[in-house]
Amino acid sequence: MDIIYLDNAATSFPKPEETYVFMDQFYRTHGVNPGRSGFDLCMETGQLVDETRALLARFFNGTDPNRLVFGYNSTDTLNLALFGLLGPGDHAITTTIEHNAILRPLHHLATHSSVAVDHVPFDGRGFVDPAEIERRIRPNTKVVAVNHASNVIGTVQPVGEIGRICRERGVLLVVDASQTAGKIPIDVQAMHIDVLCFTGHKSLMGPMGIGGMYVQPHVEIRHTRAGGTGVRSIQRAHLDEYPWRMEYGTPNVPGIAGLNAGVKWLERRGLGQIEAHEMRLTRMLVDGLRAIPGITLYCQDDLAGHIAVVLFNVDGLEAGDAGTILDMDHNIACRTGLHCAPMVHEQLGTAAIHGGVRFGVGPFNTEAHIEAAIAGVRDIAAMRAKA
Ligand SMILES: Cc1ncc(COP(=O)(O)O)c(C=O)c1O
């Protein structure tokens, strides 16, 4: 029996065929170090890297492709951004809806670099109030760092409104778009996002190990790493110009090729069409789960302002046990536990029961997958009720 994969919030699987084919093809024919030498193959490889920069800059409505820098994933570029923007005496505002990719770098900076950090809680429906962020702004507030959409409960935060406030108050907005890049449109200009960090292996349909960030032309991030760029090697100091300022060593060319193919696939399909498909299935899933006695859903009352991520628990059963039964008895892959976002579970009260069960719907899921997931949960809830 084929696996029913409902863990797309962790990583999308499978990828479009085009991603696999182009990675394989390009790496076989162009597996050389781009931008380091003058031979034709090297130039062509560099062209693909540049073309992908331009593709992604355009995808996020950025104006300067050189400000689109590649890293391993969003954790990597969030670290580059936060460590490069914040220093002793600075204040940062974040929220309790964050992934550890923001919480832990900020904790590190608070512990080792005297950066003060405030965490704004989300409301009962799972949204952060921009006015609450504004209230916390102090004269030394340098950065607001927020998750665009929660990887736990799927709520999309009002980033455009937060961005408007940040711009007016002279504070930089860093956005973790791990869950939204490739799922819903992102416009760094209209949303006043100063630094947008994304990962390639989720909804952008690329492979693991490639991600990046778009840094608006008015933002300067201090480099906290240094190394080879293939350009002006005589210079001892790391280069200040973008993209080299934020890139270090040999890039992930097969990853960039896969990301290139993934984004082109998204553009051909259309984000709106993919989102409509995923949200139709998510509606079906939420309605089906809600009809089962003994199921608690979290922040799923209204799917407006949501991505295709659903969190629930079977009353009286550990989330991990529910996940194991879904896997062993129903061949359904999902993610249980705290989802690297401990403060969300602390606020929901689910940390004490070891988190929740998360279904993440992707473009390749079908109605049959959703029906199987609902039937699987119904079985588990009935079993639990009898126990
Ligand atoms: C909201 C959010 N932020 C950050 C990350 C980290 O992504 P990556 O592991 O690709 O760096 C994830 C991945 O689960 C996420 O969902």
Side-chain angles (χ1 to χ4, degrees), residues 298-309:
Y298 302 93
C299 301
Q300 313 287 329
D301 294 344
D302 173 6
L303 289 183
H306 270 251
I307 55 165
V309 170

Side-chain angles (χ1 to χ4, degrees), residues 5-12 151 179 202 308-309 358-361:
Y5 185 77
L6 284 171
D7 198 18
N8 288 283
T11 195
S12 58
N151 59 306
Q179 289 294 333
K202 297 188 197 262
V309 170
R358 180 186 73 186
F359 285 147
V361 177

